[in-house]
Amino acid sequence: MVNTQSELMLKAQTLMKQRDELEAQIRSHQDDLQSQKVGMNDQLVDSNGFPRSDIDLVVVRTARSSIIRLKNDLKALMLQIEEALHAVHAEALEEKQKREAERKEEQELIGAAASVGSSSAGANTVTTEAALERSLPPFARVNAVAPDSPASEAGLVQGDRIVVFGTVNANTPSTLPTLSAHVQSRENKPIVVKVQRGDSTELVSLILVPKQGWGGRGLLGCHIVPA
C-alpha cells in the first residue's frame, strides 16, 4: 500500500509523541534517584559491605532498572523516527518532482496547441528543449489504432513512431511500463505526444486525453510496441 505524505507525517508525529512520553518517564525515574541523592553508578552498600541504610534500595534499584530499559526503548524509537522522517522527505521530494513534471507537461500542451493551430508557413522559434527532443530517437511505435478511440481522436495513426509521450522519452528507464503508469495517472487529463510519421523525422505534436467509456478497451484505444 502506498502511503500519502499526510499518512507518513502522522506516523512520524505519533512516534515523536511516544519519544516525548519515554523521555518524561526517564526524567521521572531520574528524579527518584536524585531524591535518594544517588546516581546510576553510586555504591548501594556501605564500607562494611552492608546495604546502605540512608537510601530506599527498592526505589533506587527500580529507578535504575527502569532508566536502562527506557533508554534502550528510546534508542530503538529514535531509529524509527529517523526512518519515518526520511520517508516524509522522500515523499515530499517525489510530490515536488511530480508537480514540476505536470507543470512542464501543461506548458508543452499550450505550446503544442499553438503549434497545431498556427499556419505551417509561419517560422517557429526552435528552443533548446525542442532541439533536444528532435535529437531523441523514437522509443515506441503505434502498432494499431481503434476507430473512435482517444488515440484516434488525438490523430495518432498506425506506424507513428513515438519520441515524446508526456514526461516519457528514450532516456526514461523502463519506457513502456513507465508510459503505461503515466497514462493511468493522466486519465481525463491531456498529454502532449510527439511522433515521427512516415519517412519524416520532423516531430508532429498531438494532444491525447486518456479516458474510459469510449466504446473499447483501455484508456487509449491503441497498441503500442517497442520501436
Side-chain angles (χ1 to χ4, degrees):
M1 187 179 82
V2 178
N3 290 316
T4 64
Q5 187 176 358
S6 59
E7 290 172 340
L8 292 170
M9 180 60 74
L10 179 61
K11 178 181 179 181
Q13 291 172 341
T14 300
L15 291 172
M16 286 187 283
K17 183 178 179 181
Q18 294 176 9
R19 176 201 61 192
D20 294 342
E21 292 172 351
L22 283 178
E23 290 177 341
Q25 292 179 51
I26 291 172
R27 288 194 297 270
S28 176
H29 289 300
Q30 288 173 336
D31 289 342
D32 289 340
L33 290 181
Q34 290 180 1
S35 70
Q36 300 296 314
K37 295 182 173 55
V38 295
M40 291 292 293
N41 300 312
D42 290 314
Q43 291 290 335
L44 302 184
V45 295
D46 58 24
S47 58
N48 296 318
F50 294 101
R52 289 174 55 178
S53 59
D54 60 323
I55 60 174
D56 188 326
L57 292 175
V58 174
V59 170
V60 172
R61 286 172 175 159
T62 300
R64 284 181 173 180
S65 175
S66 297
I67 289 172
I68 292 171
R69 174 178 55 80
L70 290 170
K71 283 188 174 182
N72 287 334
D73 291 346
L74 181 60
K75 182 178 179 180
L77 185 61
M78 291 302 293
L79 291 177
Q80 294 182 48
I81 291 174
E82 182 179 353
E83 292 174 358
L85 291 176
H86 177 75
V88 169
H89 295 154
E91 181 69 16
L93 178 59
E94 184 177 343
E95 285 294 323
K96 179 182 178 182
Q97 292 173 338
K98 181 179 178 181
R99 287 194 301 270
E100 289 176 349
E102 289 180 349
R103 183 166 56 250
K104 176 183 176 184
E105 188 165 341
E106 294 296 337
Q107 291 172 347
E108 288 184 343
L109 176 61
I110 295 172
S115 176
V116 170
S118 64
S119 170
S120 59
N124 294 323
T125 301
V126 180
T127 64
T128 303
E129 185 173 350
L132 176 61
E133 289 177 345
R134 289 179 179 177
S135 70
L136 291 171
F139 69 88
R141 178 171 54 85
V142 179
N143 195 39
V145 179
D148 301 320
S149 65
S152 177
E153 291 178 358
L156 278 174
V157 298
Q158 182 179 0
D160 279 351
R161 302 179 300 281
I162 301 174
V163 177
V164 176
F165 195 102
T167 58
V168 183
N169 58 49
N171 294 328
T172 304
S174 305
T175 49
L176 292 187
T178 302
L179 184 151
S180 178
H182 188 54
V183 169
Q184 296 295 325
S185 70
R186 298 289 296 178
E187 183 175 354
N188 297 318
K189 298 178 182 178
I191 299 174
V192 175
V193 180
K194 299 182 181 182
V195 302
Q196 294 175 353
R197 182 168 292 169
D199 295 330
S200 175
T201 58
E202 290 297 313
L203 294 182
V204 178
S205 294
L206 307 171
I207 300 171
L208 174 60
V209 181
K211 58 185 176 182
Q212 299 182 13
W214 58 271
R217 296 178 58 185
L219 296 175
L220 300 181
C222 67
H223 186 219
I224 297 176
V225 297

